[in-house]
Short mmCIF file of all heavy atoms in Angstrom, two decimals:
data_model
loop_
_atom_site.label_atom_id
_atom_site.label_comp_id
_atom_site.label_asym_id
_atom_site.label_seq_id
_atom_site.Cartn_x
_atom_site.Cartn_y
_atom_site.Cartn_z
N PRO A 130 -201.97 21.69 -53.89
CA PRO A 130 -201.67 20.52 -52.94
C PRO A 130 -202.99 20.29 -52.22
O PRO A 130 -203.96 21.10 -52.11
CB PRO A 130 -200.65 21.09 -52.01
CG PRO A 130 -200.79 22.55 -52.05
CD PRO A 130 -201.23 22.95 -53.47
N PRO A 131 -203.15 19.08 -51.52
CA PRO A 131 -204.30 18.74 -50.86
C PRO A 131 -204.59 19.74 -49.68
O PRO A 131 -203.60 20.24 -49.07
CB PRO A 131 -204.02 17.33 -50.24
CG PRO A 131 -202.98 16.81 -51.17
CD PRO A 131 -202.25 18.01 -51.69
N LEU A 132 -205.80 19.90 -49.34
CA LEU A 132 -206.17 20.88 -48.29
C LEU A 132 -205.55 20.50 -46.96
O LEU A 132 -205.25 21.40 -46.20
CB LEU A 132 -207.71 20.92 -48.22
CG LEU A 132 -208.26 22.08 -47.40
CD1 LEU A 132 -207.96 23.35 -48.12
CD2 LEU A 132 -209.78 22.02 -47.32
N ALA A 133 -205.47 19.17 -46.68
CA ALA A 133 -204.77 18.84 -45.44
C ALA A 133 -203.30 19.39 -45.33
O ALA A 133 -202.94 19.80 -44.13
CB ALA A 133 -204.79 17.22 -45.33
N PHE A 134 -202.56 19.40 -46.42
CA PHE A 134 -201.30 19.96 -46.38
C PHE A 134 -201.32 21.47 -46.08
O PHE A 134 -200.49 21.90 -45.39
CB PHE A 134 -200.51 19.69 -47.64
CG PHE A 134 -200.14 18.22 -47.88
CD1 PHE A 134 -200.06 17.68 -49.17
CD2 PHE A 134 -200.00 17.34 -46.76
CE1 PHE A 134 -199.69 16.38 -49.36
CE2 PHE A 134 -199.65 15.93 -46.99
CZ PHE A 134 -199.51 15.53 -48.30
N PHE A 135 -202.31 22.11 -46.74
CA PHE A 135 -202.36 23.56 -46.57
C PHE A 135 -202.75 23.86 -45.09
O PHE A 135 -202.35 24.83 -44.54
CB PHE A 135 -203.39 24.13 -47.47
CG PHE A 135 -203.51 25.62 -47.43
CD1 PHE A 135 -202.56 26.45 -47.83
CD2 PHE A 135 -204.69 26.22 -46.89
CE1 PHE A 135 -202.65 27.86 -47.89
CE2 PHE A 135 -204.73 27.61 -46.88
CZ PHE A 135 -203.69 28.37 -47.31
N LEU A 136 -203.58 23.02 -44.42
CA LEU A 136 -204.02 23.09 -43.10
C LEU A 136 -202.76 22.95 -42.16
O LEU A 136 -202.62 23.69 -41.19
CB LEU A 136 -205.17 22.26 -42.70
CG LEU A 136 -206.48 22.59 -43.35
CD1 LEU A 136 -207.49 21.47 -43.11
CD2 LEU A 136 -207.08 23.86 -42.81
N GLU A 137 -201.93 21.99 -42.52
CA GLU A 137 -200.85 21.83 -41.69
C GLU A 137 -199.85 23.04 -41.85
O GLU A 137 -199.28 23.46 -40.88
CB GLU A 137 -199.96 20.63 -42.19
CG GLU A 137 -200.71 19.30 -41.85
CD GLU A 137 -200.58 18.90 -40.32
OE1 GLU A 137 -199.78 19.49 -39.66
OE2 GLU A 137 -201.44 18.15 -39.88
N LYS A 138 -199.76 23.54 -43.04
CA LYS A 138 -198.87 24.72 -43.22
C LYS A 138 -199.31 25.94 -42.38
O LYS A 138 -198.64 26.65 -41.87
CB LYS A 138 -198.89 25.14 -44.73
CG LYS A 138 -198.04 26.36 -45.09
CD LYS A 138 -198.31 26.66 -46.52
CE LYS A 138 -197.59 28.04 -46.85
NZ LYS A 138 -197.95 28.55 -48.17
N LEU A 139 -200.71 26.12 -42.33
CA LEU A 139 -201.30 27.30 -41.60
C LEU A 139 -201.07 26.99 -40.16
O LEU A 139 -200.73 27.92 -39.29
CB LEU A 139 -202.79 27.23 -41.83
CG LEU A 139 -203.29 27.84 -43.18
CD1 LEU A 139 -204.76 27.84 -43.31
CD2 LEU A 139 -202.79 29.25 -43.38
N LYS A 140 -201.12 25.82 -39.65
CA LYS A 140 -200.91 25.44 -38.19
C LYS A 140 -199.44 25.73 -37.93
O LYS A 140 -199.20 26.32 -36.84
CB LYS A 140 -201.32 23.94 -38.03
CG LYS A 140 -201.05 23.60 -36.59
CD LYS A 140 -201.57 22.10 -36.26
CE LYS A 140 -200.55 21.09 -36.66
NZ LYS A 140 -200.80 19.73 -36.26
N ALA A 141 -198.46 25.28 -38.73
CA ALA A 141 -197.15 25.51 -38.57
C ALA A 141 -196.76 27.00 -38.48
O ALA A 141 -196.04 27.50 -37.60
CB ALA A 141 -196.20 24.73 -39.53
N GLY A 142 -197.40 27.74 -39.38
CA GLY A 142 -197.21 29.18 -39.41
C GLY A 142 -197.72 29.92 -38.12
O GLY A 142 -196.99 30.88 -37.56
N SER A 143 -198.78 29.40 -37.63
CA SER A 143 -199.30 30.04 -36.36
C SER A 143 -198.42 29.71 -35.18
O SER A 143 -198.14 30.51 -34.34
CB SER A 143 -200.69 29.63 -36.13
OG SER A 143 -200.80 28.28 -35.89
N VAL A 144 -197.90 28.51 -35.26
CA VAL A 144 -196.92 28.09 -34.15
C VAL A 144 -195.59 28.88 -34.19
O VAL A 144 -195.14 29.41 -33.22
CB VAL A 144 -196.56 26.60 -34.15
CG1 VAL A 144 -195.48 26.22 -33.38
CG2 VAL A 144 -197.82 25.75 -33.79
N ILE A 145 -195.23 29.10 -35.48
CA ILE A 145 -193.95 29.97 -35.56
C ILE A 145 -194.14 31.35 -35.11
O ILE A 145 -193.34 31.98 -34.47
CB ILE A 145 -193.55 29.92 -37.07
CG1 ILE A 145 -192.90 28.54 -37.32
CG2 ILE A 145 -192.39 30.98 -37.31
CD1 ILE A 145 -192.63 28.22 -38.74
N ARG A 146 -195.40 31.95 -35.51
CA ARG A 146 -195.69 33.33 -34.98
C ARG A 146 -195.73 33.41 -33.54
O ARG A 146 -195.22 34.41 -32.90
CB ARG A 146 -196.95 33.86 -35.69
CG ARG A 146 -196.89 34.28 -37.02
CD ARG A 146 -198.09 35.09 -37.45
NE ARG A 146 -199.33 34.13 -37.44
CZ ARG A 146 -199.61 33.23 -38.38
NH1 ARG A 146 -198.93 33.10 -39.35
NH2 ARG A 146 -200.79 32.48 -38.25
#
Side-chain angles (χ1 to χ4, degrees):
L132 193 63
F134 291 154
F135 185 69
L136 290 170
E137 288 288 340
K138 178 184 168 189
L139 289 176
K140 182 174 82 168
S143 64
V144 168
I145 289 171
R146 278 191 303 278

